[in-house]
Amino acid sequence: MKRKMDPVDVVIVGLGAGGGPAAKVLSEAGYKVVGFDKGPWLRPEEHYSGDELKFQNRSYLWPDVNLMPRTVRSDDKSEARIFNFSPVPSNVGGGTSHMAGWMPRPRVSDFIFHSLHGALEGASLADWPYRYEHLEPYLTKVEWSYGISGLAGADKGEGFRSKAYPSAPLPPTSFGKKFYEGSNKLGINSFPLPMSHLTEGNALGRPAVNRTSFWNQYGDPTQTRSSVATTYIPEALATGNFEVRADSFVREVKVGKDGKATGVIYIDPSGLEIEQDARVVILALGAIESARLMLLSSSNKFPDGLANDSGLVGKNATFHEYIFAVGLFDRDMEDPLHGWTGNYQSGGSTHFYETDESRGHIGGGIIATTQIGQAINAIMPGRPTWGQAMKDADRDYFDYSMKIGFILQDMPQETNRVDLDPTVKDAWGMPVARITNKPHANDIAMSRWQIDKNQEILQAAGAKKTIPVYLGDEFTGNACHQQGTVRMGTDPAKSVLNEWGQAHSVENLFVLDGAGFPTALGVNPTLTIMAHSWRCADYIANTYMKGRSERLNLSPIKKS
Amino acid sequence: MVSKADWEIAPIHIDPDTTEKLFFTDHEWDTIEAAAARIMPTDHDPGAREARVIVFIDRYLSGIDYLYAAADGSGFLQLADKDAHAARARNANMQRLYREGILELDTKARELRAPSFKEASDQIQDEVLEQISGAPKPVPVSLTSREVYYSRLQGNTDEGKSFFDTLCLHVRQGFYGDPVYGGNKDQMGWKTVGFVGPKSLKDTMDGTYSTAEFFIQEYDWEDLVPGFKHSQDPTSNQQQNGQ
Ligand SMILES: Cc1cc2nc3c(=O)[nH]c(=O)nc-3n(C[C@H](O)[C@H](O)[C@H](O)COP(=O)(O)OP(=O)(O)OC[C@H]3O[C@@H](n4cnc5c(N)ncnc54)[C@H](O)[C@@H]3O)c2cc1C
């Protein structure tokens, strides 16, 4: 029993970091837009608070692995097992509803990774089909509309910026101060990491962030953390052109005889299957789910999955991995570090971002000192699990430990990928995403080198003991960052999307989350996802919808 | 379906001093309370027993009514549809895990000549726990040893853990979780480690609870970030050297 809704101009699937800006830009440009999210539309002031158990240990916002499982294996020969790989909340707002909020910019080098490094054996390095300067205006737009605080000019290697931040950073935390001290001793340029919230006296006139410190993994009841559910979605709704359909699972993108997308089929909250036609279909389900939906949407024209004529849909997936080192300090000699305070992070550094082959690997990433968390889950690897020793460890180190984390920039590999699991199904009865992944030797080397460096900084800051947490032999997806599954590029044989996030072979299909990223970046992806979505949505509104098309002409890279 | 956004709130409250058992039998209650007291022992600070960790665990195991407190602590959310279904299945597994685990605690205690786990000496109880954990009793953290670890997930659920690991995790949760769930009576757990938590969940919703006082009050970015110069005009402090 299929019902059909009146057609609209644009359908957006997924209302997280990628879907939010597109919804705003397109509805503000006057197009009729419908946005779908399979999760609920929670009301922050009513549904969120500082409840560690509910938000960190139970599946209130974290996806319930029994309802939305994923499976993982390390190579084609091993059996995949059910695992909550790269879990991200399912609700209007997506990951932005409880993310930590690191919002650093990508760097000039990120966009020309292949040109800088050539081929790396076993990896599939690529340049982006656009450059930093093409994204810069949109990075600024996001910083000034979403609401980000930071200290322009403090990160000495940052690319050109056309405008400073709209808001100053929060003061340093106690552990942040230690981080600055340790870095400064070693001559490392560190700075307050840009965060997705505003502080007092900000240029946007919005309220300053609360300082409850229930932050990473918690929804924010005060709505002072920037989230697309409290910024771009309401702005889109205010135009009268946008409609949200929450609790609506999109299970297929339909394709017409001419090979263009005609709309989507979704399951509404009462379980009915409904068709929604549109002139343009935008996917922003998160890179794992966007690839999965494309693979689920096979048709006569695309028997191997939507726009998958290159065979690349799902491949070259990158996940970052959050690794860190923890330092324990002597409570008899130090002031408390209050590692449970702070709105997740304090100081950070990109000092080790650019390639220095003397380190034994290429690439690099961002580091930051972050909360160790509240009492149940306070992070102390190797803490005794029971008895007097556990109690003593909690009492001695809860207030006297700090952590320096690293976003590992993993190298893209064709074999690291997402496909459909042959047996496991989700709560809607659809095959789930199966992830195949194995770190590249460069990833392992980067993990070792950087975590050892983090230990050095902790020691310089006065830590008596340091505990390293390296990358294991599989990614766990614990950074909840997903990139690369639906690669952008200039050559249709080597990529699925062009520089506008538009499928080479389905002109009215756009994928506007991290799926398009040809390389992982050395920074957290969300600012880039938003700026990228805005840039592509601008193209859809001002060029594509007007019946025109345009290609970028990239000048050759001058190698220094 | 009832959307998660519209789950009802049942106005139920847990009295930490209650002895009313919703899931455990008397014997099971005493057994788990005894085991919890070995996992988070009492010393000059309270332990699992005083913090009423047993009430927390009993409520959690009793069904799905105590899974999620309402945001402001005014009661508990009533799960619906798919979520309720998945939670019930998980709860049934958890109940089985505990019932079997308690039998094992008693069996092992009897092998060591105690009448039951709950009546065994502290030392025998520790021995039993050591056996079911499969490892020696943890020793104090050493500042001189070096261990190496590998990354793991951020969220820390009790999914797929053994009885012993589950129990240890639940004891931590009952000792340090928000008091609304029945444990951490009078915030004893928080006070023990120096966590200045909110008076009530409600205080975390409107800015009443804040940790602002723990941030550094006197600071200057030009000192913390050597070489950085504050510009008076925010739009002019652009990066020159990045390209
Ligand atoms: C705990 C945590 C901390 C994080 N911290 C940071 C950080 O500090 N900095 C940073 O940059 N990033 C961070 N991230 C990552 C960040 O959340 C993601 O990069 C970002 O949300 C990705 O945006 P997206 O639009 O691709 O996907 P999402 O934000 O995940 O949005 C996708 C949406 O699509 C919906 N959806 C999926 N499938 C369907 C379907 N079939 N039908 C309908 N809807 C569907 C989902 O419900 C979801 O709401 C963090 C993530 C987590 C979980």
Side-chain angles (χ1 to χ4, degrees), chain A residues 40-43 45-51 53-54 56-60 62 64 66-67 83-84 151-154 156 158-162 164 170-174 177 180 184 190 192 211-214 216-217 221-222 247 269 321 338 340-342 374-377 380-384 386-391 393-395 397-398 427-428 448 455 465 467-472 476 478, chain B residues 1 3-7 38-47 56 60 66-71 77 82-83 86 90 126 129-130 137-143 145-157 159 164 168 172-173 176-177 181 192-196 198 201 204-205 209-212 214-216 219 221 223-228 230 234-235 237-239 241-243:
Chain A
W41 195 356
L42 297 172
R43 300 176 287 276
E45 68 287 1
E46 188 183 327
H47 292 120
Y48 297 151
S49 62
D51 181 341
L53 209 47
K54 181 177 176 183
Q56 295 209 31
N57 296 94
R58 297 180 183 172
S59 307
Y60 183 72
W62 283 118
D64 185 329
N66 294 358
L67 298 176
F83 185 69
N84 222 348
L151 197 61
K156 297 198 175 123
E158 192 183 62
F160 163 82
R161 63 163 52 244
S162 47
L170 280 176
T173 56
S174 307
K177 184 153 172 281
Y180 290 113
N184 290 342
S190 55
R211 293 209 234 159
T212 64
S213 294
F214 290 108
N216 187 37
Q217 308 179 48
T222 63
D247 295 302
E321 181 85 345
H338 302 313
W340 42 278
T341 61
Q374 286 80 22
I376 302 173
N377 301 291
M380 177 177 169
R383 174 179 46 226
W386 64 282
Q388 192 65 45
M390 170 175 78
K391 192 173 185 188
D394 284 352
R395 214 166 20 207
Y397 299 114
F398 178 66
W428 291 267
R448 286 273 160 179
Q455 295 188 87
K465 178 190 177 96
I467 310 167
V469 177
Y470 299 115
L471 170 68
T476 64
N478 71 354
Chain B
M1 75 173 257
S3 170
K4 181 184 264 184
D6 299 318
W7 286 350
R38 297 312 304 152
I39 290 168
M40 185 63 81
T42 305
D43 51 15
H44 55 276
D45 285 317
F56 166 82
Y60 176 58
Y66 298 93
L67 193 54
Y68 299 125
L77 299 181
K82 286 189 181 75
D83 295 271
R90 190 177 275 125
D126 280 3
L129 292 175
E130 263 186 313
K137 184 171 179 183
V139 296
V141 172
S142 148
L143 288 179
S145 63
R146 183 182 151 88
E147 302 91 23
V148 166
Y149 297 91
Y150 295 93
S151 55
R152 57 169 172 79
L153 284 187
Q154 300 195 47
N156 192 13
T157 68
E159 191 89 29
F164 180 76
C168 289
R172 280 191 81 79
Q173 293 179 351
Y176 295 126
Y181 289 94
T192 298
V193 293
F195 173 50
V196 188
L201 282 176
T204 66
M205 298 179 77
Y209 172 72
S210 171
T211 64
F214 296 108
F215 286 64
I216 302 289
Y219 64 95
W221 290 122
D223 293 339
L224 294 169
V225 184
F228 170 73
H230 245 301
T235 54
N237 65 14
Q238 301 173 359
Q239 262 317 107
N241 55 350
Q243 288 277 344

Side-chain angles (χ1 to χ4, degrees), chain B residues 73-142:
Chain B
S74 62
F76 284 84
L77 299 181
Q78 302 298 291
L79 283 64
D81 301 296
K82 286 189 181 75
D83 295 271
H85 190 71
R88 265 185 223 109
R90 190 177 275 125
N91 184 253
N93 285 334
M94 203 46 83
Q95 293 184 342
R96 202 172 317 121
L97 191 73
Y98 266 85
R99 292 244 135 94
E100 287 168 7
I102 290 165
L103 288 178
E104 202 189 347
L105 288 175
D106 278 334
T107 308
K108 291 255 179 321
R110 273 185 229 109
E111 283 167 15
L112 296 171
R113 298 175 196 291
S116 67
F117 181 84
K118 68 179 187 194
E119 290 162 293
S121 66
D122 287 357
Q123 201 192 341
I124 289 187
Q125 286 179 346
D126 280 3
E127 238 179 287
V128 171
L129 292 175
E130 263 186 313
Q131 282 187 24
I132 69 166
S133 77
K137 184 171 179 183
V139 296
V141 172
S142 148

Side-chain angles (χ1 to χ4, degrees), chain A residues 173-195:
Chain A
T173 56
S174 307
F175 57 96
K177 184 153 172 281
K178 283 276 178 210
F179 175 76
Y180 290 113
E181 288 165 6
S183 317
N184 290 342
K185 265 193 207 159
L186 301 176
I188 296 168
N189 168 227
S190 55
F191 52 87
L193 261 186
M195 282 284 281

